[in-house]
Amino acid sequence: MSEEAYLRNVDLLNKYAYHYYVLDDPIASDEEYDRLYHEVLAFEREHPQKIRPDSPTQRVGDRPLDAFEKAKHLSRMWSLEDIFDEDELRKWIERVEKGLDGQRAHYYCEPKYDGASLNLIYEHGKLRQAITRGDGVIGEDVTQNARTIRSVPLVIDEESLIEIRGEVVLFKEEFDRINAERERAGEPLFANPRNAAAGSLRQLDPRITAARNLVFLPYGIGVNSLTTPRLSDMMARIYSLGFKAPPLRRVVDGFEGIEAMYEQMKAERDGYAMMLDGMVVKVDEIALQEILGYTVKFPRWAVAYKFPAVEKMTKVRDIILQVGRTGVVTPVAVLEPVEIEGVTVERATLHNFDEIERKDIRIGDHVIILRSGDVIPKIVKSIPQRRDGSETRVARPTHCPVCGSELLDEGALIKCQNLSCEARVVNAIIYYASKQCLNIDGLGERIVETLYKAGLVRSVIDLYRLRFEDLMKLEGFKEKKSRNLLEAIEKSKGTECWRFVNGLGIEHIGEVASKQLCEHFGLGFIDATEEALLAIDGFGSEMAASVLEFVRVNREQITALMETVKPKAPEPKAEVKEGPFEGKAAVLTRTKSGPGSVIEAEIEPLGAKVSGSVSKKTDFVIYGEEAGSKYDKAVSLGVATLTEDEMKRMLQ
Ligand code: IVH
């Protein structure tokens, strides 16, 4: 084959693949494709220096990794707030409208895919890196695997640096095929397409990933320099770059439009190739998205309107009370067991007493329960028509079911205020030891209860005072178990700062907020002022007040615990915000404002190092209208170049 024919054939193969994998509209037979593929492969074997980066042969990596490297997203990956019904949708729209102060938004509706999220970074039109979501800031580098996904273009017609985010899914048919194959091979089956997709994406051997036929469905962008004022147009641009478009999408006007779209998608979803677990609604105007901004976890301009999953009817046997680590008393319905999607459901939370009253749920009632995805089952409604008179109402409790002290009834919440109530102490310790906090192996519910009952722990710090002899006296504790537990507790010393903060169980402060507190203040968070707390992105007055109050009441205990645990504090970097410039080497050339300028003052506090000359180590060259040799050098070295406007957009 001549070189010319080679180039033509690579284009042809890519065109066939695009029609097959992205448009779902094949224009060549498998045979034709395979024949051409082998010809291309033969040419490349003879002329390895001429291999095109977008050749389909370049997708299949064959070297398994030992482990995935951690990698940082250029801008944060957010998650979505869930809503489940019309009422919640109305409230969400109200919040959006209030936030926009009368400006009218349009809403872009598209499917919520059920898979694993992935961030693709393209630079100079080439796929540079693919990173799993991780905690939204740092994920795992799965570039080798992503390259095997045929709906991930290796090359796109977009020069500027861009992050394209989407969901990696398995089509339902492919899921069935894989499970049938696993069954034949006597391997454990995947529970659902989401787990299968996530597992396939995180294979150390890319050949396994390649064999799973994963699909990438884009839903958004991170760092970019597109200038379209509407999300819908931005996404249209993304689809036109060779990405797969959703089976249904539309810009609608308000509540009615969203509802109509939701009903349509819900009715059609069984016919789609991929699993959907809801519809995502996003404010279409980018300028309005910016006004609305973000909470610590979610954009305020988007919401996931979940599909009601499977509903089942069952009977309420009893309503019991649980006391959590914050003292809140939660009513829980004990149900006649029913199976939903392979899981036996025996309990459902009732959230609070106002809800029991509003839904009029009584012991003995027939109720409809709903379980969707990972969400804890909830009771949708009772069926009063099926009552026979034997049903009983539950009264609002006045005394703690665990310690007997008087409860504080705040309306929606009823709280036990006794700090040494067994339930509060035990649950606080279980939480402290849990995976998302200190991650103390083996310290689960049963053991904490045993330790408490034996009088060995009355607060978290007592864990660090446990002695081998004490444990050996407990029922069920032999030498090995006692030693393992003490070791696991000892190992929690020197933990990361955020785990420690999260473990304190401050109300309204979860994992994300704990990380932010540590990034800003390190262990000095106990001395942070209200003003400093409110300056953290996404921190509202409720969160700030909660931190301040917690520290006020518990300062001594926190300090003592810190001295024992000695958490590793990250370098506090009060002004450095995570973002595209952190740790990057930048060069400014002929910018309107020049070196020593406004731009420098803007990006240096974000962690960028500004220097005078361009080299391979430079990450960005920011250039002005009359840029000259530095710009040329950047281009020839393949260094990213940004105009001032592009840079400003990245800052936003
Ligand atoms: S947007 C800026 N859109 O759902 C908001 N997410 O529950 C970021 N997901 O982490 C997310 N389909 O992995 C968005 N059409 C869609 C989606 C979608 C699926 C996933 C995504 C995200 C999770 C949040």
Side-chain angles (χ1 to χ4, degrees):
M1 192 191 313
S2 68
E3 186 175 351
E4 230 172 63
Y6 167 71
L7 296 175
R8 220 175 28 242
N9 286 340
V10 169
D11 281 338
L12 203 54
L13 280 174
N14 283 340
K15 184 168 157 189
Y16 290 167
Y18 174 69
H19 274 261
Y20 187 91
Y21 292 106
V22 176
L23 300 181
D24 272 333
D25 179 24
I27 55 168
S29 68
D30 290 359
E31 239 180 354
E32 227 176 323
Y33 184 91
D34 285 345
R35 188 176 44 75
L36 212 53
Y37 185 94
H38 282 99
E39 283 175 30
V40 159
L41 201 58
F43 177 88
E44 291 177 345
R45 285 220 179 92
E46 265 176 51
H47 310 278
Q49 74 290 359
K50 296 208 166 123
I51 299 179
R52 262 170 60 168
D54 62 339
S55 163
T57 62
Q58 298 306 295
R59 290 190 175 272
V60 226
D62 52 8
R63 238 178 341 104
L65 300 171
D66 295 328
F68 293 113
E69 303 244 340
K70 295 259 179 272
K72 197 161 178 189
H73 301 291
L74 300 183
S75 65
R76 164 119 187 241
M77 283 185 85
W78 298 91
S79 83
L80 289 170
E81 182 187 356
D82 289 334
I83 56 170
F84 293 90
D85 54 37
E86 280 185 23
D87 243 20
E88 289 177 322
L89 174 63
R90 261 202 198 93
K91 287 195 190 114
W92 180 74
I93 295 178
E94 261 168 38
R95 280 206 308 272
V96 167
E97 286 175 351
K98 200 163 147 225
L100 292 178
D101 230 3
Q103 293 186 72
R104 269 191 77 76
H106 292 83
Y107 299 94
Y108 185 54
C109 301
E110 62 178 357
K112 180 164 193 311
Y113 308 114
D114 205 8
S117 44
L118 184 67
N119 184 24
L120 303 175
I121 302 177
Y122 288 86
E123 199 173 15
H124 301 299
K126 291 204 191 84
L127 176 63
R128 182 179 92 188
Q129 202 175 27
I131 311 173
T132 60
R133 180 177 186 285
D135 65 2
V137 178
I138 293 174
E140 286 174 325
D141 185 324
V142 292
T143 313
Q144 260 209 103
N145 291 345
R147 292 176 67 88
T148 70
I149 303 175
R150 307 303 302 256
S151 40
V152 169
L154 299 177
V155 173
I156 58 174
D157 183 19
E158 170 60 54
E159 258 304 293
S160 67
L161 180 66
I162 185 165
E163 287 180 293
I164 298 180
R165 273 90 191 257
E167 199 82 348
V168 170
V169 305
L170 267 179
F171 282 175
K172 291 180 265 190
E173 259 182 27
E174 181 64 10
F175 171 74
D176 291 340
R177 183 191 69 77
I178 293 173
N179 260 354
E181 205 174 285
R182 290 174 79 83
E183 195 167 13
R184 272 197 301 278
E187 289 166 335
L189 303 188
F190 287 120
N192 53 49
R194 178 179 2 115
N195 291 358
S200 305
L201 185 63
R202 294 190 68 264
Q203 287 291 331
L204 290 169
D205 185 346
R207 286 167 300 190
I208 300 182
T209 311
R212 296 272 169 85
N213 295 321
L214 295 166
V215 177
F216 179 79
L217 299 159
Y219 59 65
I221 34 196
V223 160
N224 72 89
S225 37
L226 305 183
T227 48
T228 24
R230 296 280 201 134
L231 174 68
S232 49
D233 294 328
M234 236 178 220
M235 293 313 295
R237 165 91 180 118
I238 300 301
Y239 309 140
S240 79
L241 292 175
F243 291 90
K244 213 168 161 62
L248 181 63
R249 59 188 185 278
R250 192 176 303 145
V251 177
V252 299
D253 221 4
F255 178 82
E256 305 293 333
I258 297 174
E259 271 299 320
M261 187 64 178
Y262 179 76
E263 289 305 324
Q264 184 185 346
M265 210 178 278
K266 196 165 70 176
E268 288 177 4
R269 70 168 162 148
D270 281 344
Y272 298 153
M274 70 290 277
M275 287 261 288
L276 308 191
D277 62 347
M279 180 175 92
V280 183
V281 186
K282 298 172 180 168
V283 168
D284 199 36
E285 291 83 355
I286 307 286
L288 300 187
Q289 291 181 356
E290 278 162 14
I291 295 175
L292 289 164
Y294 300 81
T295 71
V296 288
K297 280 199 196 146
F298 316 120
R300 293 200 182 87
W301 46 265
V303 78
Y305 192 175
K306 301 295 277 283
F307 291 140
V310 188
E311 291 187 343
K312 283 266 170 94
M313 182 158 28
T314 183
K315 224 172 137 177
V316 178
R317 279 186 179 161
D318 197 3
I319 293 178
I320 57 170
L321 302 174
Q322 283 181 349
V323 184
R325 64 188 159 84
T326 56
V328 173
V329 180
T330 310
V332 175
V334 180
L335 307 169
E336 277 182 9
V338 273
E339 214 195 81
I340 309 184
E341 291 173 318
V343 175
T344 307
V345 177
E346 293 177 89
R347 290 187 172 205
T349 167
L350 289 161
H351 300 294
N352 57 56
F353 278 86
D354 286 358
E355 178 158 315
I356 298 185
E357 282 154 28
R358 198 172 54 243
K359 290 187 176 163
D360 186 18
I361 293 165
R362 306 179 191 179
I363 299 172
D365 260 348
H366 282 85
V367 289
I368 301 286
I369 60 165
L370 176 139
R371 181 178 169 269
S372 76
D374 286 339
V375 180
I376 306 163
K378 72 175 193 180
I379 295 185
V380 185
K381 58 175 185 185
S382 62
I383 308 176
Q385 292 81 355
R386 298 199 50 169
R387 286 184 185 147
D388 62 12
S390 68
E391 297 76 15
T392 50
R393 287 180 208 265
V394 273
R396 294 176 84 90
T398 53
H399 289 81
C400 176
V402 179
C403 71
S405 63
E406 204 172 317
L407 296 172
L408 173 72
D409 194 333
E410 294 180 335
L413 297 185
I414 301 181
K415 284 184 178 168
C416 170
Q417 289 183 291
N418 172 12
L419 283 174
S420 27
C421 169
E422 173 175 348
R424 292 192 63 168
V425 173
V426 166
N427 285 317
I429 299 177
I430 294 172
Y431 180 74
Y432 179 83
S434 68
K435 265 216 168 68
Q436 74 272 32
C437 301
L438 279 280
N439 195 12
I440 303 178
D441 234 11
L443 194 57
E445 196 173 329
R446 282 247 303 287
I447 294 189
V448 177
E449 269 165 15
T450 310
L451 295 174
Y452 185 92
K453 293 232 153 70
L456 293 174
V457 294
R458 283 293 174 270
S459 77
V460 166
I461 201 158
D462 295 335
L463 292 174
Y464 298 93
R465 300 182 178 135
L466 289 172
R467 290 176 317 171
F468 184 72
E469 310 84 80
D470 298 330
L471 293 182
M472 288 296 282
K473 286 189 208 132
L474 300 175
E475 210 188 298
F477 274 78
K478 300 231 169 63
E479 204 176 316
K480 183 148 180 256
K481 184 164 170 182
S482 307
R483 232 178 266 296
N484 285 349
L485 182 60
L486 289 178
E487 259 172 39
I489 293 172
E490 192 60 27
K491 233 178 72 190
S492 72
K493 290 184 180 170
T495 188
E496 293 149 281
C497 173
W498 69 266
R499 291 185 172 276
F500 177 81
V501 174
N502 202 24
L504 295 175
I506 308 171
E507 242 182 312
H508 307 300
I509 304 296
E511 187 176 322
V512 176
S514 299
K515 286 182 181 165
Q516 288 180 306
L517 276 176
C518 290
E519 265 173 31
H520 281 78
F521 309 109
L523 292 172
F525 78 94
I526 55 169
D527 296 315
T529 61
E530 181 177 10
E531 203 186 356
L533 290 168
L534 288 172
I536 304 178
D537 246 2
F539 265 61
S541 50
E542 201 178 29
M543 291 167 75
S546 177
V547 174
L548 292 171
E549 176 63 9
F550 190 90
V551 172
R552 191 182 67 78
V553 178
N554 301 296
R555 177 175 289 270
E556 260 172 57
Q557 290 93 313
I558 306 173
T559 328
L561 195 57
M562 266 182 196
E563 274 162 20
T564 307
V565 179
K566 298 201 171 55
K568 277 198 302 265
E571 291 289 306
K573 37 179 180 177
E575 301 90 341
V576 177
K577 284 204 210 145
E578 63 195 39
F581 291 100
E582 193 179 333
K584 300 286 186 208
V587 172
L588 311 181
T589 176
R590 308 280 171 104
T591 50
K592 278 178 225 133
S593 16
S597 69
V598 191
I599 297 189
E600 199 166 330
E602 268 181 41
I603 63 176
E604 274 199 335
L606 298 175
K609 284 194 301 288
V610 177
S611 72
S613 63
V614 182
S615 75
K616 263 198 254 165
K617 290 200 185 121
T618 311
D619 293 296
F620 298 107
V621 169
I622 299 161
Y623 64 97
E625 271 168 20
E626 287 158 11
S629 63
K630 285 187 193 170
Y631 175 83
D632 294 345
K633 186 158 179 202
V635 173
S636 73
L637 290 174
V639 171
T641 56
L642 295 171
T643 64
E644 279 173 80
D645 285 347
E646 282 170 345
M647 182 215 87
K648 295 221 169 92
R649 236 170 284 127
M650 272 171 74
L651 283 180
Q652 285 162 10

